[in-house]
Amino acid sequence: MKEIIIKDISLIDEAAKEFVAAMGSATVFAFYGTMGAGKTTFIKAICQQLGVEEVITSPTFAIVNEYLSVKTNRPIYHFDFYRIKKLEEVFDMGYEDYFYSSDPCFIEWPELIEELLPEDALKVVITTEDDGCRRVVVG
């Protein structure tokens, strides 16, 4: 289990570097946290560390955004399942093609599709502490 503390938004790039260094061979990351905890912001910083140069936006309405890493010339997938009403929507989008592609998948609101997550998906929990800093627990 890895813990990363983000004391201030100005330190998010350092935290993202630390996260990327700890990713290991995992490819599916399930980000848990309340609304406003910073899931999207942290995933954006991670994608930038992985070599995404294009504008990174929340996939709230699209469900999935695909980015290209200029470092690996491979895709990175960013999911937001907040608006999913039933699992059939996830089946219809072909989630398996993404989750089992061996390309990085960062998932927001995974609790809504938990039964579809691969067994080896890494759980990432982001909480807001009383002093405003963010605690990221991986594993």
Side-chain angles (χ1 to χ4, degrees):
M1 191 165 306
K2 170 105 177 127
E3 185 175 278
I4 301 168
I5 302 295
I6 307 171
K7 293 185 188 227
D8 184 86
I9 191 72
S10 66
L11 302 172
I12 197 162
D13 290 335
E14 288 305 313
K17 278 182 195 170
E18 194 176 337
F19 182 91
V20 168
M23 283 174 57
S25 61
T27 57
V28 178
F29 300 88
F31 284 77
Y32 294 82
T34 59
M35 184 76 72
K39 298 179 297 292
T40 301
T41 303
F42 192 50
I43 290 170
K44 286 179 183 181
I46 292 166
C47 288
Q48 289 169 338
Q49 292 301 316
L50 290 172
V52 174
E53 292 180 345
E54 60 200 282
V55 174
I56 300 164
T57 59
S58 174
T60 301
F61 294 100
I63 300 175
V64 62
N65 286 346
E66 180 178 336
Y67 304 110
L68 180 66
S69 167
V70 297
K71 292 180 180 177
T72 63
N73 203 34
R74 302 272 323 211
I76 294 172
Y77 302 109
H78 179 190
F79 297 85
D80 184 336
F81 289 115
Y82 183 73
R83 296 191 180 281
I84 289 294
K85 301 287 186 251
K86 34 190 180 164
L87 284 179
E88 287 76 25
E89 294 174 66
V90 184
F91 285 109
D92 290 346
M93 68 175 287
Y95 79 95
E96 291 169 311
D97 293 339
Y98 299 102
F99 290 3
Y100 297 99
S101 67
S102 75
D103 293 313
C105 293
F106 301 109
I107 303 166
E108 296 185 53
W109 301 103
E111 52 270 55
L112 300 175
I113 59 135
E114 225 157 32
E115 60 204 68
L116 303 180
L117 291 174
E119 279 185 32
D120 61 351
L122 266 184
K123 185 174 186 176
V124 181
V125 179
I126 301 179
T127 54
T128 304
E129 302 300 308
D130 291 339
D131 63 1
C133 74
R134 302 301 197 265
R135 179 181 309 275
V136 180
V137 178
V138 184

